[in-house]
């Protein structure tokens, strides 16, 4: 055998993918083996390489099919379906999170943003006070309708707008068995006597109550019939509308 041919055969036998007679990379090792070893071993080498190449191709195809099928041989379309369902679930949870906002949880301690407002600002004689105690905002006072008055409230001006996707206020309350109210002011309630109100009943036990924004009614004409969540600027816990002694507690309020 010529020296060049022997050197080529030696390189291929060691697994080096290079055609030593030309110095270029060989794209097909089987072809390289058949060219360099054929002078010594004859046509049988080409046949073995051809058959071996087909076997390797079939093995590769089997491995690719198994990988596409996923664990336990699941069909590819099932994996795609699972991914789609997971993506949809994550998007739903993200949307839910964006539609929720905790306004106040009094279990965290003092809440300095809340202030007491009574009908004395308009000539009434009602009086009241509010303090955070026992993990709740405790509103008490004397409500009088004298001099066209009739309310005591604890009000919070919101530092940020509520999520536009929120549809209700959720409150946790207890009281003396009387009815109380949540008042809302929005960017549309420009006059002092403009607001939205929704009533709720109380009892001696803590109760969770949902107040849909659609249940809030405007105090007068010229206001949109339903307050938009993102336009709400303040919320208030209110004793209102009749002569009585008020005693109500609010532990938590959130929009969602």
């Amino acid at each position: 055998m010529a020296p060049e041919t022997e050197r080529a055969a030696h390189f291929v036998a060691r697994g080096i993918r290079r055609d030593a007679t030309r110095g270029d990379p060989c794209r097909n090792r089987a072809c390289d083996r058949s060219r360099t070893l054929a002078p010594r071993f004859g046509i049988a080498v080409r046949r073995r390489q051809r058959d071996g190449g087909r076997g390797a191709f079939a093995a590769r195809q089997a491995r690719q099919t198994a990988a596409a099928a996923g664990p336990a041989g699941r069909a590819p379309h099932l994996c795609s379906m699972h991914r789609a369902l997971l993506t949809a679930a994550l998007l739903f949870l993200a949307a839910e999170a964006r539609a929720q906002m905790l306004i106040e949880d009094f279990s965290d301690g003092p809440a300095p943003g809340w202030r007491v407002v009574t009908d004395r600002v308009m000539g009434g004689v009602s009086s009241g006070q509010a303090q955070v105690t026992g993990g709740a905002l405790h509103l008490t006072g004397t409500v009088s309708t004298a001099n066209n008055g009739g309310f005591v409230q604890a009000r919070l001006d919101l530092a940020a707008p509520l999520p536009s996707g929120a549809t209700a206020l959720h409150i946790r309350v207890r009281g003396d068995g009387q009815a109380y109210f949540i008042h809302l002011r929005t960017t549309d309630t420009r006059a002092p006597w403009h607001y939205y109100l929704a009533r709720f009943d109380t009892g001696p036990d803590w109760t969770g109550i949902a107040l849909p924004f659609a249940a809030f009614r405007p105090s007068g004409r010229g206001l949109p019939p339903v307050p938009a969540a993102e336009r709400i600027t303040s919320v208030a816990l209110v004793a209102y509308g009749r002569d009585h002694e008020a005693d109500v507690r609010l532990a938590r309020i959130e929009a969602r």
Side-chain angles (χ1 to χ4, degrees), residues 16 38 55 62 66 73 82 107 146 172 214 226 244:
I16 300 176
H82 292 162
S107 64
R172 183 169 174 79
V226 177
H244 67 289

Side-chain angles (χ1 to χ4, degrees), residues 64-79:
Q64 291 172 359
T65 302
R74 289 198 298 267
H77 73 279
L78 290 180
C79 293

Side-chain angles (χ1 to χ4, degrees), residues 13-256:
R14 294 184 60 185
I16 300 176
R17 298 181 62 186
R18 178 177 296 277
D19 186 347
T21 61
R22 296 185 180 180
D24 296 328
C26 178
R27 296 182 179 179
N28 189 322
R29 183 180 295 178
C31 294
D32 191 52
R33 284 177 176 272
S34 66
R35 283 200 304 269
T36 57
L37 297 181
R40 291 186 61 185
F41 300 100
I43 193 67
V45 174
R46 292 193 183 92
R47 185 177 296 114
R48 284 196 298 271
Q49 294 300 329
R50 183 185 63 228
D51 294 342
R54 289 175 181 173
F57 176 78
R60 280 198 306 274
Q61 288 293 93
R63 287 195 298 270
Q64 291 172 359
T65 302
R74 289 198 298 267
H77 73 279
L78 290 180
C79 293
S80 300
M81 184 182 299
H82 292 162
R83 286 194 295 271
L85 290 174
L86 178 59
T87 300
L90 291 175
L91 290 174
F92 174 78
L93 292 175
E96 285 287 301
R98 288 194 297 271
Q100 296 183 17
M101 177 177 167
L102 177 63
I103 297 173
E104 195 73 79
D105 185 344
F106 294 98
S107 64
D108 294 335
W114 293 79
R115 69 184 192 278
V116 174
V117 181
T118 73
D119 56 24
R120 291 175 184 262
V121 298
M122 49 183 285
V125 297
S126 298
S127 62
Q129 51 278 328
Q131 58 181 339
V132 177
T133 177
L137 177 68
H138 188 195
L139 176 66
T140 58
T142 301
V143 181
S144 172
T145 57
N147 295 345
N148 295 320
F151 71 86
V152 172
Q153 64 178 250
R155 181 191 296 176
L156 173 69
D157 293 324
L158 300 180
L162 300 181
S164 60
T167 60
L169 288 181
H170 293 256
I171 59 176
R172 183 169 174 79
V173 295
R174 78 173 186 179
D176 56 4
Q178 300 186 82
Y180 293 92
F181 297 84
I182 294 293
H183 282 196
L184 303 177
R185 291 185 61 83
T186 73
T187 54
D188 300 304
T189 57
R190 295 182 175 88
W193 55 87
H194 282 170
Y195 53 87
Y196 292 86
L197 76 160
R199 168 179 165 159
F200 62 91
D201 294 319
T202 64
D205 298 322
W206 287 108
T207 304
I209 301 173
L211 299 173
F213 292 129
F216 284 80
R217 57 184 177 86
S219 62
R221 297 179 180 179
L223 293 175
V226 177
E230 67 275 14
R231 297 177 69 85
I232 295 172
T233 58
S234 72
V235 297
L237 174 65
V238 186
Y240 166 79
R242 66 189 188 282
D243 296 323
H244 67 289
E245 294 295 320
D247 189 346
V248 61
R249 298 172 188 264
L250 172 68
R252 180 184 177 91
I253 180 170
E254 64 177 322
R256 50 186 168 92

